[in-house]
Amino acid sequence: MAQATPFPDDMPFSQRVKSLADEELLEIWEETQQVEQLLNKEMRAAISLAPEYERTIVEELRLRSTRGLCGREAR
C-alpha cells in the first residue's frame, strides 16, 4: 500500500512552514498550546513543548502579513 507524506523526513520545520496555509499554521500552533496546557495542568509544572515551532510559526505569519500589507500599499 502506498503512503503519501507531504514533506521529506529530513526537511526542517522552518522550511515546511513556508508551504503550509495560514489556517494550517494556526492549527498546529493551537494544538501545541492545548497539549502544553493539558500537560501543565496534569503535571502541575510549567512546560514549554516546542518554543522553536511556535517562534517559527509566528515569524512566518508575521512575514506573510507584512508582505500582504506592502502589496496593498503598492496598489
Side-chain angles (χ1 to χ4, degrees):
M1 183 172 248
Q3 179 181 356
T5 54
F7 307 110
D9 288 339
D10 60 345
M11 181 184 278
F13 185 72
S14 60
Q15 292 299 313
R16 293 179 187 191
V17 297
K18 295 180 186 319
S19 64
L20 296 172
D22 293 354
E23 295 80 25
E24 292 173 305
L25 292 174
L26 291 170
E27 186 176 311
I28 292 168
W29 177 82
E30 181 181 15
E31 289 174 0
T32 303
Q33 293 299 307
Q34 290 173 351
V35 170
E36 189 175 289
Q37 288 174 4
L38 179 66
L39 286 174
N40 285 336
K41 183 178 177 183
E42 293 295 318
M43 298 178 74
R44 298 179 189 179
I47 298 172
S48 184
L49 282 180
E52 67 281 352
Y53 280 20
E54 183 175 355
R55 189 176 318 109
T56 301
I57 289 170
V58 169
E59 287 176 6
E60 180 64 23
L61 290 171
R62 185 178 296 138
L63 177 63
R64 292 178 187 187
S65 176
T66 302
R67 285 181 183 158
L69 290 173
C70 291
R72 281 185 246 148
E73 289 176 4
R75 292 178 191 173

